[in-house]
Amino acid sequence: MKRSLRRALWAGAVVAVTVAAVPVTTAFGAGTVTTTFTKAQDWGTGHETRVTVTNGSSATVTTWRIEFDLPSGTTISSAWDADVTSSGNHYVAVKKSWAGGLAPGASFSWGYNGSGAYKAPLNCTINGAACGGGTTPPTTTPPTTTPPTTTPPTTPPPTTPPPTTPPPNTGGKKVVGYFAEWGVYARNYHVKNIQTSGSAAKLTHILYAFGNTTGGRCSIGDSYADYEKAYTAADSVDGVADTWDQPLRGSFNQLRKLKQLNPHLKVIWSFGGWTWSGGFTQAAQNPAAFAESCYNLVEDPRWSDVFDGIDVDWEYPNACGLSCDTSGPNAFKNVISALRSKFGSNALVTAAITADGSNGGKIDATDYAGAIGNLNWLMPMTYDYFGAFNAQGPTAPHSPLTSYTGIPQQGFNSDAAIQKLKSKGVPASKLLLGIGFYGRGWTGVTQAAPGGSATGAAPGTYEAGIEDYKVLKNTCPATGTIAGTAYAKCGSNWWSYDTPSTINGKMTYANNQGLGGAFFWELSGDTSNGELIGAIKGGLG
């Protein structure tokens, strides 16, 4: 796949007010096993709560069970990373089957979205021991195991989702960027460029795109680029040339070297994409076999240390992309569940999904909320809404943050997608905002403002109708903004794209919404000194 091909992504704009997290200790029991409830968000009509179980004992805790009541007017509407049942206002949360034992000193977080304003739970017990329901630990609790009144350092900050292994980065926000395997050819963009541009230090995660899914199995996308291509000393991350008898070469070996220079960096292997999503339909018929094949490939001994997990880029479950899928609304959830079961609780399992926020659109076709408990995060692809795939126009920004008067399709904007996913029960902290490091453009345009007619796609370096930011910033500088993104008319060509300034605004939105961070397609579109990724990291704080 080339993400420069159209990705049919695709709501209203209700903005939730993010409230600073207020930890409320409500459960101490089972010796030194502790539980804290943290208000992550409260927007009046609803709230998001994070619950952390900490094992302060010297033995592994193999299971845990939390029981509590919620005050009148507060109910749980959805939960993730724990199995939650209820009877009236009484709730029981137990450990997920995929979550391993809790080692001494370790913590595990799960969470829920609730209706009504946040209220601290009552009558809480963990593994049968009374919690007391207070906001301070009992005096009998050993000081070394008492959770602090702020977020424990072993758990992710309140603005991030509750993954088993949270990545270390400033503020807990994720900065995730795609590396396209084919970029090593015509684009001459290599893993070394991630280091020399300064981008490696700003990234938390790299998504390596793409592995294939043909036949409902994970398979290599391009063996030469992936692990066969020999790098010279000049092109290698660490200045050391590959040898002819080296067991691993190519981008995989370069990523290994990049991680050695940047120990904080995680790499996730992404499968599917526009071209290779057809294989997911067969994968959905036997998710366990698909997961087995993926695990065997990602954990191949030759490169198992390179990858920290798997990403699913299925375009689109129970809907149409390059081909149409009719596997039903539960197919995606079932595939993700199988992957989590096979990869275990410590691996990262993520997904890039549609950003179609229209009524009855692609988000509505699949139970994304049902899968969120087995995912570390979701990435709605909030770009490619509009472009010269509609050759006659009207001209429109391909990545609008919000709706605007005259938008060609309602629900085709970033905020619409975010709000729809949140309304379905996906926690904000498990959503990343998508940014395109490229523009989309038309030619034959006479009107400078959006909404003009066109005759076709504007010329592009690699493909008509699309161009990298690093090119457009010089050849067609932005002259206006609309709906939180930029546009420009140069001669008869009209382009829309994000700039450092508009990205800063989008990151403000992400922070205000309590999102887990941002991701982008893809690294080679940025300048040689990483202007755009710098704006993402700087904006997230």
Side-chain angles (χ1 to χ4, degrees):
M1 162 218 165
K2 297 202 173 175
R3 208 166 290 220
S4 56
L5 295 173
R6 182 182 182 188
R7 313 171 62 113
L9 311 171
W10 339 83
V14 179
V15 178
V17 178
T18 302
V19 178
V22 179
V24 181
T25 304
T26 60
F28 288 83
T32 54
V33 179
T34 61
T35 302
T36 59
F37 285 72
T38 300
K39 177 176 64 176
Q41 293 191 85
D42 188 337
W43 51 94
T45 58
H47 62 276
E48 178 184 335
T49 301
R50 181 167 51 84
V51 188
T52 302
V53 180
T54 302
N55 180 13
S57 74
S58 59
T60 297
V61 174
T62 58
T63 188
W64 46 260
R65 175 187 177 96
I66 302 171
E67 296 193 40
F68 58 95
D69 298 325
L70 287 180
S72 176
T74 303
T75 60
I76 293 179
S77 54
S78 63
W80 55 94
D81 292 347
D83 291 321
V84 179
T85 56
S86 66
S87 176
N89 70 334
H90 185 74
Y91 291 85
V92 177
V94 297
K95 182 175 74 73
K96 282 276 192 183
S97 59
W98 54 259
L102 199 58
S107 296
F108 181 88
S109 290
W110 60 277
Y112 62 82
N113 282 343
S115 61
Y118 174 83
K119 295 179 182 178
L122 306 171
N123 308 317
C124 188
T125 65
I126 178 168
N127 290 353
C131 308
T135 58
T136 57
T139 56
T140 56
T141 303
T144 55
T145 58
T146 302
T149 54
T150 56
T151 306
T154 54
T155 60
T159 52
T160 59
T164 305
T165 310
N169 63 307
T170 303
K173 298 290 186 177
K174 295 169 184 65
V175 180
V176 183
Y178 278 93
F179 178 90
E181 66 184 358
W182 58 86
V184 302
Y185 299 119
R187 288 178 168 270
N188 195 30
Y189 189 89
H190 306 275
V191 175
K192 179 180 179 179
N193 296 99
I194 307 175
Q195 181 70 19
T196 57
S197 64
S199 298
K202 299 165 186 166
L203 285 162
T204 61
H205 300 78
I206 292 173
L207 289 163
Y208 186 85
F210 285 103
N212 204 337
T213 63
T214 302
R217 298 291 187 273
C218 282
S219 59
I220 288 290
D222 180 342
S223 62
Y224 179 75
D226 291 349
Y227 59 85
E228 295 170 351
K229 175 179 169 60
Y231 274 85
T232 64
D235 292 335
S236 180
V237 169
D238 61 357
V240 178
D242 291 340
T243 60
W244 67 270
D245 58 346
Q246 194 167 300
L248 185 67
R249 299 185 295 190
S251 293
F252 287 2
N253 185 52
Q254 294 298 306
L255 286 167
R256 173 185 286 162
K257 293 182 176 185
L258 187 71
K259 290 180 70 174
Q260 290 170 350
L261 292 177
N262 302 273
H264 74 282
L265 197 55
K266 305 292 185 183
V267 179
I268 307 170
W269 197 343
S270 183
F271 287 82
W274 183 258
T275 302
W276 287 333
S277 280
F280 285 118
T281 299
Q282 189 171 343
Q285 297 170 11
N286 192 340
F290 173 71
E292 178 79 18
S293 73
C294 298
Y295 182 84
N296 291 339
L297 183 60
V298 175
E299 294 299 322
D300 186 296
R302 290 172 290 177
W303 50 70
S304 61
D305 62 317
V306 174
F307 296 106
D308 299 284
I310 186 170
D311 174 72
V312 172
D313 191 337
W314 183 352
E315 304 179 24
Y316 298 96
N318 204 37
C320 296
L322 185 61
S323 60
C324 289
D325 174 77
T326 57
S327 52
N330 294 323
F332 177 81
K333 176 173 62 177
N334 294 339
V335 167
I336 295 300
S337 177
L339 287 170
R340 175 57 75 189
S341 295
K342 184 61 186 177
F343 278 80
S345 60
N346 290 325
L348 294 168
V349 180
T350 66
I353 66 168
T354 177
D356 176 1
S358 62
N359 291 330
K362 288 184 173 64
I363 289 178
D364 290 331
T366 300
D367 185 10
Y368 291 112
I372 197 63
N374 286 317
L375 288 163
N376 291 84
W377 64 78
L378 276 176
M379 296 174 286
M381 298 177 285
T382 49
Y383 39 76
D384 288 354
Y385 285 111
F386 308 106
F389 33 79
N390 293 321
Q392 311 304 312
T395 57
H398 82 84
S399 185
L401 176 60
T402 60
S403 187
Y404 64 93
T405 301
I407 192 169
Q409 171 68 49
Q410 291 301 316
F412 280 26
N413 63 83
S414 304
D415 180 65
I418 296 297
Q419 299 309 327
K420 172 158 281 200
L421 288 163
K422 287 171 64 174
S423 73
K424 289 178 178 292
V426 178
S429 57
K430 280 199 172 186
L431 291 172
L432 307 188
L433 186 67
I435 303 292
F437 280 13
Y438 60 91
R440 285 193 173 273
W442 289 262
T443 195
V445 180
T446 59
Q447 177 177 313
S453 60
T455 59
T461 302
Y462 305 103
E463 178 185 344
I466 191 166
E467 188 58 272
D468 291 344
Y469 166 76
K470 67 188 178 204
V471 174
L472 289 172
K473 67 166 292 192
N474 297 315
T475 61
C476 194
T479 55
T481 59
I482 187 168
T485 190
Y487 66 88
K489 182 177 179 294
C490 305
S492 64
N493 296 329
W494 192 96
W495 292 93
S496 73
Y497 56 94
D498 273 311
T499 66
S501 176
T502 63
I503 287 176
N504 186 266
K506 288 186 173 184
M507 295 307 100
T508 298
Y509 168 88
N511 288 334
N512 289 341
Q513 287 291 312
L515 304 188
F519 75 101
F520 60 88
W521 180 270
E522 42 85 17
L523 280 155
S524 72
D526 205 352
T527 60
S528 60
N529 62 343
E531 282 183 19
L532 298 186
I533 191 173
I536 290 176
K537 181 169 176 56
L540 289 174

